[in-house]
Amino acid sequence: MPPDTRNTPRPDRTAIELINLCKVFGSDAENPSYAVDHMNLKIRAGEFFTFLGPSGCGKTTTLRMIAGFEEPSSGNIVLDGREVSGSPPHLRNVNTVFQSYALFPHLTVADNVGFGLAVKRVPKAERRDRIQAALASVRMAHVADRKPSALSGGQQQRVALARALVNEPSVLLLDEPFGALDLKLRREMQVEIKEMQRKLGITFIFVTHDQEEALTMSDRIAVMSSGIIRQVDDPVGIYERPCDRFTANFIGDMNMLDAKITNIDDREATVSAGGLDLVLPRPLRLLGIGDTATIAIRPEALTLGAGGSETISFTGSCGTTVYTGTDRLIPITLATGETLTMRVRNRLGAAPVPLPGEMLTVSCPLAAIHLLTN
């Protein structure tokens, strides 16, 4: 097992590099169906990196190509400086943890964890030490003699992790490993796995469609759709600085207003949106006068009442509020017919809940308004 030391991603060393990686399904040469479309990406050593996206976006296919279970249609996979695109899985220093635990029911926990070592004919004494260390790393040493059927779902997932870690991989691949767990256990496992990764110093590559899971666990996230990476950033950047409409809409809740560019220069763009004219920082992608765009505002960025000089205010009619426990969602219909939803924290002494039909003014800091290309 790797030494139990605190770890941070090492930007000076690349664990995995994907170069123009493609996976095509089907045989139509003129109109190929790309599961992964010319992906270029570097993943740093010691990083917890997540592929995030909806079903069918190509994230699991990418993981399977890194593992060697899928052959790329074209492109290269470089692992620790070595080209491995044509290498079989057992010749790559990676291990994979799947959503289904795939534990052998007739073997004990210890024998499950050590199965790969036995196949490799690792000496018994070394095998025993590595099994004990792997089980200790996932806090499961006390169940070494039990069968998988005697364990809970969360315990079985830990055993599957130990079985992958015992081989001391340079990269651990996790394909939606918490999908079979209930919500509370999922959240507990998220914290445990992230802490384990920091201690072990192994590069983790995680696949999920769960936005909260990705934000909780990751050092960096690649948001994918239709085989393409839309944005790569840390969790704060993905949530607070989305680069396009897809990313903004996929990550968390987001208000979207149609916008039209009325003026633009090197630094700023004037847009018409929600019945107002707004001057906002120009987005990275080129826009021209008359082009359509999107205004994106997080519900928690809106507050009741008119704001100061660095804010913008919207007025509309209150709809039916939704109580979610910790928060209350208040929809506001603007004169354009579009709706903004405001998220208000429930707390003692809070202002009375607005009634349906009541006219409300809400404000938002200019810095919290995102101008996105469609």
Side-chain angles (χ1 to χ4, degrees):
M1 295 293 293
D4 185 6
T5 57
R6 290 284 173 177
N7 175 72
T8 56
R10 299 186 291 279
D12 58 316
R13 188 163 73 84
T14 299
I16 289 181
E17 183 174 6
L18 309 179
I19 305 170
N20 287 323
L21 190 66
C22 295
K23 182 64 179 181
V24 177
F25 292 118
S27 57
D28 188 346
E30 293 185 0
N31 297 294
S33 176
Y34 283 100
V36 177
D37 190 354
H38 295 87
M39 181 182 293
N40 289 281
L41 179 67
K42 289 183 179 181
I43 299 174
R44 298 188 289 263
E47 185 171 30
F48 198 119
F49 190 93
T50 297
F51 288 103
L52 171 67
S55 298
C57 72
K59 57 188 186 294
T60 293
T61 300
T62 301
L63 198 80
R64 290 178 61 82
M65 286 192 287
I66 295 172
F69 301 136
E70 292 277 358
E71 187 74 18
S73 301
S74 61
N76 303 95
I77 301 170
V78 180
L79 173 63
D80 288 333
R82 183 172 67 91
E83 166 64 40
V84 297
S85 302
S87 301
H90 69 277
L91 294 181
R92 306 184 188 197
N93 192 22
V94 302
N95 273 94
T96 307
V97 178
F98 299 100
Q99 180 175 337
S100 59
Y101 316 128
L103 301 176
F104 296 113
H106 62 289
L107 298 181
T108 65
V109 165
D111 289 339
N112 265 284
V113 172
F115 183 81
L117 300 180
V119 171
K120 295 177 182 178
R121 300 185 183 278
V122 174
K124 286 187 177 181
E126 180 185 348
R127 194 189 316 166
R128 182 180 61 251
D129 291 344
R130 288 171 64 175
I131 290 170
Q132 290 175 349
L135 286 172
S137 72
V138 297
R139 298 190 293 127
M140 293 295 289
H142 62 290
V143 300
D145 296 327
R146 296 184 192 175
K147 297 289 182 63
S149 59
L151 306 180
S152 68
Q155 289 175 322
Q156 290 184 48
Q157 186 58 273
R158 288 190 182 93
V159 173
L161 279 165
R163 182 178 56 188
L165 292 169
V166 78
N167 293 298
E168 299 178 355
S170 62
V171 176
L172 186 65
L173 310 175
L174 301 103
D175 188 7
E176 306 211 39
F178 308 142
L181 305 180
D182 62 65
L183 179 59
K184 184 177 181 180
L185 187 53
R186 280 177 73 118
R187 289 176 172 169
E188 291 175 358
M189 289 294 294
Q190 288 165 15
V191 175
E192 289 188 15
I193 297 304
K194 177 58 180 175
E195 184 64 17
M196 183 193 310
Q197 187 266 341
R198 291 183 61 203
K199 289 181 178 180
L200 296 176
I202 297 174
T203 305
F204 277 31
I205 302 179
F206 193 81
V207 161
T208 184
H209 64 273
D210 188 315
Q211 303 98 11
E212 181 180 330
E213 194 164 80
L215 294 171
T216 298
M217 303 180 70
S218 311
D219 294 317
R220 285 194 304 155
I221 300 169
V223 180
M224 292 186 66
S225 80
S226 304
I228 298 172
I229 292 179
R230 309 298 293 257
Q231 183 172 351
V232 179
D233 209 334
D234 61 30
V236 174
I238 291 289
Y239 187 83
E240 297 186 4
R241 299 182 296 276
C243 69
D244 60 19
R245 182 168 183 147
F246 174 85
T247 303
N249 197 39
F250 186 74
I251 305 294
D253 297 324
M254 185 70 88
N255 292 299
M256 301 282 193
L257 298 178
D258 293 332
K260 188 171 184 178
I261 309 300
T262 58
N263 194 25
I264 195 165
D265 59 29
D266 291 339
R267 297 174 54 193
E268 296 177 330
T270 303
V271 300
S272 175
L276 302 173
D277 289 325
L278 310 175
V279 179
L280 301 170
R282 175 177 172 159
L284 294 177
R285 294 185 184 180
L286 184 64
L287 291 173
I289 295 175
D291 286 347
T292 58
T294 298
I295 292 294
I297 305 171
R298 295 286 181 194
E300 62 269 22
L302 294 168
T303 56
L304 278 173
S309 59
E310 294 299 317
T311 64
I312 192 71
S313 296
F314 299 89
T315 299
S317 173
C318 180
T320 301
T321 63
V322 177
Y323 178 79
T324 65
T326 57
D327 303 311
R328 193 178 297 271
L329 302 178
I330 303 176
I332 299 148
T333 302
L334 307 178
T336 60
E338 297 169 299
T339 298
L340 291 175
T341 297
M342 177 175 59
R343 185 187 302 276
V344 177
R345 195 77 171 173
N346 289 321
R347 61 184 186 276
L348 292 175
V353 178
L355 299 175
E358 184 178 345
M359 294 301 295
L360 300 176
T361 296
V362 296
S363 60
C364 174
L366 284 170
I369 300 176
H370 307 282
L371 176 59
L372 307 173
T373 53
N374 293 327

